[in-house]
Amino acid sequence: MPDIVAGRISSAGHLISADDALLRLQQRAGGLLGGPLAVPSLAGVARLARTLGILISRSVICADGDHDVELLVRARLDREDVVLSIGGWTPRPQRQPWLVGEDVPALKPEAPEKMVWVTDAKLDIVEASGPENSNITGKSLTEVFRLIEDEFSAMPILAALATGSDFTNQFATMRAHPEYEVSLSGQVLRDDLGNFAGLSGSTDKVPSDITEDPTPEPAAGPAFTERLDAALRAPLGRIVASADSISAQEDGPLRRDYADYAGDIASAARHLLTLVDDLSDLHMLESPDFKVDIEEVDLADLARRAAGLLKVRAADRNIKIDLPGAEDTLLARGDFRRILQILVNLIGNAIRYSPTDGMIWLRIERDADTVVMIVADQGKGIAQEDQARIFEKFERVDPSEPGGSGLGLFISRRLAQAMGGDIVVDSGMGQGARFVLTLPAAD
């Protein structure tokens, strides 16, 4: 099998050119050269690249005869066509019989509880400790782990690579133990010249349930919160991944209403994941030892990053986000990760309450020793008597409307205040809303 297999998909979704390996896969799926792309998972990646107009790179699994094959797919828009570059071509274990009376395969050994690893700049694992060290050294990180997107369709490890920051809670499954979910955390390594040199991280197995503690802490204690987070996040993540797979019809055609049901299930599970995040943040904020890391950050850059994380959600409703220009900068003092969290919440709210085909504006300003970020939308607005209430715990303007937990604005304002800033709202009924984030300016 060649290292990279190429193909080209027309604007109508037809496979108009393909290397031999891709053409054979297309033919085994019942398609022809020049006909519709018959491999659902590849077709889904091509559609996503066309919809977003950006490079899409992800791992997919598709059926190939009586077994599955895992592919590493890159899809990019080239004028009207989508160009596919496909690598990996890793065979998956043959599907096991499921009929009553057939042999049940033996259980695989459990995944290790803890591993520590280091990669080089190509993300190949060069050093590992733990029970699996001999099996993973020399392999690429993505050969060992199948990474899972979070509720914002993002991956913490990719954000760390982009920003050079530490990362936590990158959920994944081990390819050698796909039935077990793990959590990756670590930091970016740099050489003497400041260039990216790899990652140093560790892997912890995610508990499958809550373990009984012979000396339980109070219900509101930190151990309870951590166990609750672990017990909910892993199964909800699996629900989202499975429902998205069904909705995208990756394993073959499905009745439209069933695919829509799966989409609804994924949406509900994402909502619950957001609630888990909010409860964890609430507990963190109310801890006596809570603090933020203060550093110099570019508020304009953070605005562009936050909007990028929500690009798909905005595109689903044809909402445009007017951003600071690529050359704009505005330096503030605060915690990079927490400011990004605040902006994702404010922009996410603006998307939720904006009309279809609406517009959202992000504006940056400096006023003496303060920097300002304004998030303005075209929604129905917030009455004067509700403007203080929405910053309280579990409060929403209209609880009957679909939305969040009522914690997002409370948490965002508390985070802003912990960094020496604040969040206020300026709105009127029928006039949209302007949320104003202020932070100390960098010297």
Side-chain angles (χ1 to χ4, degrees):
M1 183 67 65
D3 290 340
I4 298 296
V5 174
R8 182 175 286 268
I9 315 301
S10 72
S11 58
H14 291 189
L15 182 65
I16 55 178
S17 69
D19 289 346
D20 288 344
L22 177 56
L23 179 56
R24 289 195 298 271
L25 186 64
Q26 164 84 342
Q27 291 169 340
R28 286 193 292 271
L32 299 171
L33 185 63
L37 182 57
V39 184
S41 55
L42 296 182
V45 175
R47 282 195 302 272
L48 187 59
R50 184 181 304 283
T51 300
L52 300 181
I54 61 175
L55 174 69
I56 301 295
S57 180
R58 63 178 51 186
S59 171
V60 302
I61 297 174
C62 64
D64 186 12
D66 61 356
H67 68 281
D68 292 338
V69 62
E70 185 167 359
L71 310 175
L72 301 176
V73 184
R74 290 168 58 88
R76 61 177 177 84
L77 197 60
D78 182 18
R79 298 184 181 179
E80 296 297 320
D81 300 339
V82 172
V83 176
L84 297 181
S85 300
I86 307 172
W89 295 87
T90 305
R92 303 276 290 183
Q94 187 170 0
R95 299 171 190 170
Q96 298 295 333
W98 56 271
L99 294 176
V100 175
E102 298 201 25
D103 293 336
V104 177
L107 293 176
K108 292 183 179 180
E110 290 198 2
E113 296 288 339
K114 181 81 172 181
M115 287 193 299
V116 178
W117 42 263
V118 178
T119 78
D120 60 15
K122 296 180 180 179
L123 297 187
D124 291 335
I125 296 174
V126 296
E127 182 180 337
S129 64
E132 297 268 326
N133 64 324
S134 61
N135 296 328
I136 68 174
T137 303
K139 295 182 179 179
S140 72
L141 198 67
T142 53
E143 282 184 277
V144 178
F145 303 105
R146 181 178 177 82
L147 304 178
I148 299 174
E149 294 178 342
D150 66 15
E151 60 269 31
F152 298 114
S153 299
M155 295 185 183
I157 194 170
L158 297 185
L161 291 172
T163 63
S165 58
D166 297 350
F167 66 94
T168 59
N169 292 334
Q170 172 60 67
F171 291 95
T173 56
M174 290 189 64
R175 297 189 186 276
H177 306 278
E179 65 273 31
Y180 294 106
E181 188 164 0
V182 295
S183 175
L184 278 60
S185 60
Q187 59 185 0
V188 170
L189 302 177
R190 297 192 180 279
D191 60 21
D192 294 340
L193 299 177
N195 298 318
F196 175 72
L199 295 173
S200 173
S202 62
T203 302
D204 295 279
K205 183 180 167 186
V206 175
S208 58
D209 54 15
I210 299 177
T211 304
E212 291 294 331
D213 190 337
T215 56
E217 298 200 21
F224 173 82
T225 304
E226 293 170 5
R227 293 199 302 270
L228 182 65
D229 181 88
L232 292 177
R233 187 179 299 279
L236 285 172
R238 287 192 289 271
I239 290 171
V240 170
S242 298
D244 278 342
S245 177
I246 295 171
S247 181
Q249 304 183 49
E250 292 183 356
D251 293 324
L254 191 68
R255 266 177 47 182
R256 183 68 262 167
D257 55 345
Y258 287 160
D260 290 342
Y261 297 155
D264 291 341
I265 291 170
S267 177
R270 284 193 177 93
H271 176 76
L272 290 175
L273 276 169
T274 302
L275 179 58
V276 171
D277 288 335
D278 287 346
L279 291 173
S280 295
D281 285 338
L282 179 62
H283 177 267
M284 170 204 64
L285 283 169
E286 295 181 337
S287 296
D289 58 349
F290 169 69
K291 64 179 182 178
V292 293
D293 297 324
I294 302 299
E295 58 185 329
E296 185 177 285
V297 297
D298 183 353
L299 200 56
D301 175 63
L302 280 164
R304 292 187 290 266
R305 290 175 186 273
L309 291 173
L310 297 168
K311 183 176 181 180
V312 174
R313 192 185 305 180
D316 285 343
R317 299 181 54 218
N318 201 30
I319 293 172
K320 295 180 174 58
I321 302 178
D322 189 15
L323 293 165
E327 71 287 352
D328 292 335
T329 61
L330 185 63
L331 299 182
R333 291 193 60 76
D335 186 312
F336 180 97
R337 185 166 63 93
R338 295 305 182 185
I339 298 173
L340 183 62
Q341 179 181 349
I342 292 170
L343 293 178
V344 166
N345 179 260
L346 295 180
I347 299 170
N349 283 347
I351 293 171
R352 178 181 294 125
Y353 294 110
S354 290
T356 301
D357 301 322
M359 175 75 78
I360 294 170
W361 293 267
L362 306 186
R363 293 291 181 264
I364 52 174
E365 301 173 0
R366 175 159 182 167
D367 181 13
D369 58 353
T370 300
V371 297
V372 179
M373 166 65 67
I374 301 171
V375 180
D377 63 52
Q378 295 177 310
K380 66 181 182 179
I382 304 169
Q384 185 69 36
E385 60 269 22
D386 292 325
Q387 291 180 15
R389 181 172 62 84
I390 60 174
F391 289 102
E392 298 174 4
K393 275 192 257 186
F394 303 108
E395 289 288 348
R396 296 172 53 215
V397 175
D398 185 354
S400 65
E401 290 184 339
S405 62
L407 286 171
L409 287 175
F410 172 81
I411 291 170
S412 294
R413 190 176 206 180
R414 287 285 298 272
L415 288 173
Q417 291 171 342
M419 292 182 283
D422 202 357
I423 300 176
V424 297
V425 62
D426 174 24
S427 181
M429 294 306 295
Q431 300 176 12
R434 296 170 72 252
F435 283 86
V436 181
L437 166 65
T438 59
L439 290 167
D443 295 334

